[in-house]
Amino acid sequence: MGKKHYVIVSITLGAIAAISAVLIGVTNLVTKDRIIQNEKNRIAAGIKEIFGNNSLISDEEDLKDNGYAYVNYSYTVKANDEFFGYALRTTGSNMYGKISLLVGFGMTYSFSGIYVIINEQTYASTLEDNYLIPLNEGSKELDDVECGATYGAKLVRDMINEASEVILEIWK
Amino acid sequence: MKREKGFTKRNFLKGILAENPLFVSILGTCPALATTKTVEAAIGMGILFTIVLVCSSILVSLLRKIISEEIRTPAYIVIIATFVTIVKMFTNAFLPELYLTLGVFISLIVVNCIVLGRAEAYASKNTVFDSLIDALGMGLGYTLAIITMAVFREILGTGAFSFGKIFTFIPYFKLQIIPKGYEISLFQNPAGAFIVFALILAVIAFIKNRKAELKSNLEKQEKIRKQQEAKMAAESSGGESK
């Protein structure tokens, strides 16, 4: 096989990759706004679930540049114009996939609850049924990570622990 | 090239019955076990899978004369990954509940061996139309197979059949089939998925074996009948000659 053959093969593969990139780029343009809006709706729904139906986000702070491993956003929550607490958005991933949570803290730094924004873990439902839901209901301890999706639960535990430390800094 | 009569129909139906990717070829079992907790999730997975399979088969078939032998696999993977990414973005934008329910299993369509298998074994050697029909048949076959599994798992595991949670444009309804407290939650767990899958495969194997047995019995009877006829013919011709 000559040099020409390898050039043709490289051009073919390059062209396929370029067409793919264009298709993905166009799809991104079409869907981007809607995906962002869906995520905002989900965060708003999470705030209502943690703090109650009257609660709203009054302020949002980007914490991505603060060097935290998991926490990336902080939301100030108000209800009927009164300060209600904070919700921290925390995102982590391990070999089983990505998970993004909203961790709520009430007025006395107390843990108010968690809400799942994205759960792309392979054992997503096991993690939710055996760890996240019992944790939210208070029937499971944060450190009791043995649940059939232990690696995911350990990740969630670390994410919540970091959120607890960050909330103290915010409060100060 | 002259086509055999009924080829298109057979090409379409083979994916649903004779060469069903899940129940006959035992391919794509991982998402089949993971996304069959509810019928709604199974329908969602089936639709997304079929879209990826159809689009990638069409493109692979279109480019079959351009893609050379040594770059076949990377080229197919790039094509399949592109369509999976597009489908994932559209699902995230327009069917967010389905996106959240299926989670990582949408991305995992990239490594589903049925998609790459059809690209390699069929689309790369056949016309665009034939590849489209093959992909539609295989996609529908896979969708029906996972829906079958989901029906058993949802009804036995939750005692009810519900719809409208994921496809929110459909009004939500729930039909209680088994009285509350009598459902077997095991069927909602991975072990339940394996049991349902194994039972369906056992039923299919039973039907196949039974068919083969009947066929062999018929063949034996036919053979005996022919032998008897030949014997009688020989006897009668012997009598005549006497």
Side-chain angles (χ1 to χ4, degrees):
Chain A
M1 273 178 271
K3 204 176 169 184
K4 195 182 163 192
H5 174 78
Y6 288 110
V7 172
I8 291 169
V9 163
S10 309
I11 290 170
T12 312
L13 205 51
I16 290 170
I19 293 166
S20 299
V22 169
L23 283 173
I24 292 170
V26 170
T27 312
N28 183 45
L29 277 177
V30 174
T31 56
K32 191 175 66 182
D33 293 340
R34 200 128 180 177
I35 291 172
I36 293 169
Q37 190 53 49
N38 285 344
E39 206 166 288
K40 278 184 183 167
N41 292 346
R42 203 148 167 79
I43 290 167
I47 296 283
K48 284 190 194 308
E49 187 150 322
I50 296 171
F51 294 100
N53 274 338
N54 297 331
S55 52
L56 290 166
I57 297 169
S58 72
D59 193 25
E60 179 184 324
E61 196 183 343
D62 190 341
L63 302 172
K64 278 184 215 154
D65 297 330
N66 288 31
Y68 302 126
Y70 308 112
V71 176
N72 38 31
Y73 283 99
S74 147
Y75 305 100
T76 308
V77 182
K78 282 189 173 179
N80 304 325
D81 276 341
E82 276 182 43
F83 174 72
F84 226 65
Y86 285 106
L88 299 181
R89 181 172 177 172
T90 159
T91 306
S93 62
N94 60 11
M95 60 189 164
Y96 296 104
K98 183 181 160 187
I99 185 157
S100 190
L101 304 170
L102 211 55
V103 187
F105 294 94
M107 300 232 259
T108 50
Y109 326 121
S110 56
F111 172 72
S112 305
I114 45 175
Y115 183 81
V116 181
I117 302 169
I118 300 165
N119 187 0
E120 289 180 350
Q121 292 266 306
T122 318
Y123 295 96
S125 55
T126 311
L127 178 67
E128 285 186 29
D129 295 345
N130 299 344
Y131 189 70
L132 295 175
I133 294 170
L135 193 67
N136 237 353
E137 289 169 349
S139 59
K140 197 167 182 91
E141 292 294 317
L142 186 63
D143 284 326
D144 183 11
V145 289
E146 278 181 37
C147 66
T150 306
Y151 283 100
K154 276 182 181 172
L155 175 67
V156 169
R157 178 198 61 192
D158 294 345
M159 286 158 68
I160 295 174
N161 278 335
E162 190 188 71
S164 309
E165 286 165 19
V166 173
I167 201 70
L168 286 175
E169 284 176 32
I170 291 173
W171 233 285
K172 276 175 195 168
Chain B
M1 205 174 76
K2 207 184 166 192
R3 275 171 178 280
E4 269 179 67
K5 206 181 163 191
F7 173 79
T8 306
K9 192 181 165 189
R10 277 201 307 279
N11 190 22
F12 178 72
L13 288 177
K14 74 174 192 292
I16 300 169
L17 300 164
E19 289 177 30
N20 187 291
L22 184 63
F23 290 151
V24 178
S25 310
I26 325 284
L27 295 172
T29 47
C30 177
L33 297 170
T35 62
T36 51
K37 265 187 170 185
T38 63
V39 174
E40 219 177 352
I43 291 172
M45 183 66 188
I47 292 169
L48 301 186
F49 172 81
T50 307
I51 293 170
V52 172
L53 185 59
V54 167
C55 293
S56 50
S57 286
I58 289 173
L59 199 60
V60 166
S61 181
L62 269 172
L63 301 174
R64 70 188 188 280
K65 285 171 187 164
I66 302 167
I67 300 170
S68 61
E69 189 68 29
E70 54 266 66
I71 55 159
R72 252 174 41 186
T73 308
Y76 296 165
I77 291 286
V78 170
I79 290 168
I80 295 163
T82 302
F83 285 114
V84 170
T85 310
I86 290 169
V87 159
K88 192 181 166 184
M89 283 170 159
F90 272 109
T91 314
N92 194 359
F94 298 102
L95 286 167
E97 283 78 15
L98 180 64
Y99 177 79
L100 292 167
T101 307
L102 296 179
V104 76
F105 291 98
I106 301 178
S107 308
L108 285 178
I109 297 174
V110 177
V111 288
N112 191 314
C113 32
I114 304 166
V115 189
L116 188 63
R118 292 328 287 172
E120 273 276 353
Y122 200 90
S124 64
K125 294 170 189 134
N126 290 283
T127 62
V128 175
F129 179 73
D130 287 347
S131 303
L132 167 73
I133 298 297
D134 172 76
L136 278 173
M138 287 287 164
L140 188 63
Y142 188 73
T143 307
L144 291 175
I146 56 175
I147 289 172
T148 309
M149 280 185 68
V151 166
F152 286 110
R153 287 189 68 193
E154 185 171 358
I155 293 172
L156 293 172
T158 65
F161 174 74
S162 64
F163 216 90
K165 254 186 184 173
I166 294 172
F167 297 108
T168 44
F169 51 86
I170 296 169
Y172 177 77
F173 75 88
K174 190 177 177 183
L175 189 68
Q176 194 71 36
I177 294 166
I178 300 171
K180 273 185 185 170
Y182 288 94
E183 69 272 9
I184 310 160
S185 58
L186 170 81
F187 286 100
Q188 284 284 291
N189 297 332
F194 275 106
I195 291 169
V196 170
F197 189 44
L199 287 174
I200 292 172
L201 290 184
V203 169
I204 290 170
F206 173 77
I207 294 167
K208 266 187 171 179
N209 291 343
R210 188 105 179 118
K211 262 188 178 176
E213 211 175 290
L214 282 172
K215 201 180 165 190
S216 112
N217 284 346
L218 279 174
E219 277 171 1
K220 269 184 196 167
Q221 280 174 2
E222 184 71 8
K223 207 175 165 184
I224 293 166
R225 193 179 61 81
K226 275 182 182 167
Q227 278 174 350
Q228 280 175 344
E229 273 176 8
K231 207 176 166 185
M232 278 165 71
E235 277 174 7
S236 63
S237 65
E240 274 170 24
S241 65
K242 273 180 192 174

